Amino acid sequence: MVYAFVVALVIAIVLGYALYTQNKASAKQAQEQQRLLDDYQQRVNEQQKLLEDYRALEKNFDNVGEGYEQALLAFDKMNEEQDKARAANEALQNTVKQLQEANNQLQQDAQKKAEAMKQVVSDLMATGDQKLAALAGKIGDLDEVQPNQAPFERTDNVMVTQVADEAIRQSGIDKAQYIKFEQAIDPAAAATMLSTNLAKAVRSLTHVLDNALKFTTEGSVKLAVNVDMDKMQAVYTVEDTGSGIEADDAEKVFEPYVKLNQFFDGQGIGLTVARNIARRLGGDLVLDTTYASPGARFVLELPI
């Protein structure tokens, strides 16, 4: 009788340990499946109650056979709950997989549309028609409004001055009749190469020149081209005698669709696009709040 009791007790302990192991595995699965958390937690609590009842049986049972039978029933019930949780887990994983596949398809479709749009923009700009090129540039700008995009590949090796020359040509600022346009090129800048994405760098500086041209109804606009060899940067400074910008609005002007002056045309994204491009090229565009003369001074920096 004593031997039978010891055997039964050992079996009960083994079963209790098995119950504990199964309970721990169930709890881990509940943590991994967020949507099943509430329902599964209730099941874990029920299992814990069963385990506590079983331990109470261990201490108080008078009939070893009856205690053994109750332990088997509890173990079977736990296995049943485990099977239900496993089925629910598999269903959830299938749903997640389907959602991921649908999301991947949407991303692929969006990428194809973006590539098609870029090809249209490229074709328009290749026509040589200034109006079509300007329209293509505006279409391309819509891709640059969102910040924190992937960096551009800097595979073009050009002279620092080439960016300025192309931006002047595209903006047409040197042909404006109502202002005086000046360009000052530092000799060091004229002899320095720049590793960049030429089209994007030109687009960024063109926006800055366009902004100066728009808000300067009389007076002058000056583009200074320099290099900072300590920072290994090409520096394009645009100064104008226009309406100017308050220091408190130094960051606001770079926010998308913000127009500080409603009397001028535009979408309010030019400076936003210019800064985003500069940053994707590893540089930056800032408003110089220390500029004391009438108008504004913007500084575009691009890594050499």
Side-chain angles (χ1 to χ4, degrees):
M1 183 66 179
V2 172
Y3 177 75
F5 175 80
V6 171
V7 170
L9 183 60
V10 170
I11 293 174
I13 292 173
V14 171
L15 289 174
Y17 178 75
L19 289 172
Y20 171 76
T21 302
Q22 292 291 335
N23 182 57
K24 184 176 181 181
S26 298
K28 183 176 180 180
Q29 284 191 354
Q31 292 176 355
E32 295 173 351
Q33 304 300 329
Q34 195 66 27
R35 290 180 56 187
L36 295 175
L37 182 61
D38 294 336
D39 182 62
Y40 192 69
Q41 185 61 49
Q42 182 178 357
R43 293 171 180 166
V44 170
N45 292 338
E46 292 175 354
Q47 292 170 4
Q48 185 64 32
K49 180 64 168 59
L50 290 173
L51 185 60
E52 292 173 356
D53 291 342
Y54 173 68
R55 288 174 176 171
L57 286 173
E58 279 186 323
K59 295 179 180 179
N60 301 306
F61 72 93
D62 296 325
N63 188 304
V64 174
E66 181 180 352
Y68 179 70
E69 183 180 353
Q70 291 294 329
L72 288 176
L73 289 174
F75 187 75
D76 290 341
K77 187 172 184 179
M78 181 171 289
N79 281 335
E80 182 181 349
E81 294 294 333
Q82 190 74 10
D83 291 340
K84 290 180 180 179
R86 188 179 296 107
N89 179 40
E90 291 176 355
L92 180 59
Q93 287 181 343
N94 289 334
T95 301
V96 170
K97 183 179 179 180
Q98 292 174 0
L99 290 174
Q100 288 176 339
E101 291 175 351
N103 182 58
N104 291 338
Q105 185 62 49
L106 288 174
Q107 289 181 345
Q108 291 175 5
D109 292 343
Q111 182 65 27
K112 290 179 181 178
K113 291 179 180 178
E115 291 175 355
M117 180 60 71
K118 288 180 180 178
Q119 185 60 48
V120 171
V121 171
S122 178
D123 293 343
L124 288 174
M125 297 188 73
T127 63
D129 187 302
Q130 291 296 323
K131 291 183 178 180
L132 286 178
L135 175 60
K138 291 180 179 179
I139 295 174
D141 287 343
L142 297 178
D143 290 334
E144 306 296 343
V145 173
Q146 297 301 323
N148 303 321
Q149 298 187 66
F152 290 121
E153 291 186 2
R154 295 157 50 198
T155 56
D156 298 324
N157 294 311
V158 299
M159 301 302 295
V160 169
T161 54
Q162 186 174 344
V163 174
D165 293 341
E166 288 293 321
I168 292 170
R169 184 184 65 81
Q170 290 190 19
S171 67
I173 194 170
D174 57 332
K175 296 179 177 59
Q177 300 296 318
Y178 57 91
I179 64 166
K180 177 183 179 182
F181 176 68
E182 302 176 58
Q183 184 180 13
I185 300 177
D186 183 77
T192 302
M193 295 290 292
L194 177 69
S195 177
T196 190
N197 181 313
L198 179 59
K200 295 300 182 180
V202 169
R203 192 64 188 157
S204 179
L205 184 56
T206 299
H207 273 300
V208 182
L209 292 175
D210 284 343
N211 182 77
L213 184 60
K214 180 189 298 184
F215 292 101
T216 306
T217 56
E218 61 179 1
S220 64
V221 175
K222 179 179 179 181
L223 170 60
V225 183
N226 298 276
V227 290
D228 185 337
M229 300 309 295
D230 292 334
K231 296 182 179 180
M232 295 298 291
Q233 291 178 331
V235 183
Y236 303 88
T237 305
V238 178
E239 299 176 357
D240 64 61
T241 59
S243 55
I245 301 171
E246 297 293 335
D248 292 341
D249 295 326
E251 288 300 313
K252 187 177 294 185
V253 295
F254 294 108
E255 295 178 5
Y257 308 107
V258 170
K259 297 178 64 176
L260 300 181
N261 192 327
Q262 300 298 324
F263 293 100
F264 291 89
D265 294 333
Q267 298 175 298
I269 64 172
L271 292 176
T272 304
V273 171
R275 171 180 272 189
N276 288 348
I277 290 176
R279 290 182 172 178
R280 293 179 71 182
L281 290 171
D284 204 357
L285 172 64
V286 297
L287 173 69
D288 184 357
T289 57
T290 66
Y291 188 57
S293 298
R297 175 194 284 156
F298 285 90
V299 180
L300 171 64
E301 297 176 333
L302 297 176
I304 295 175

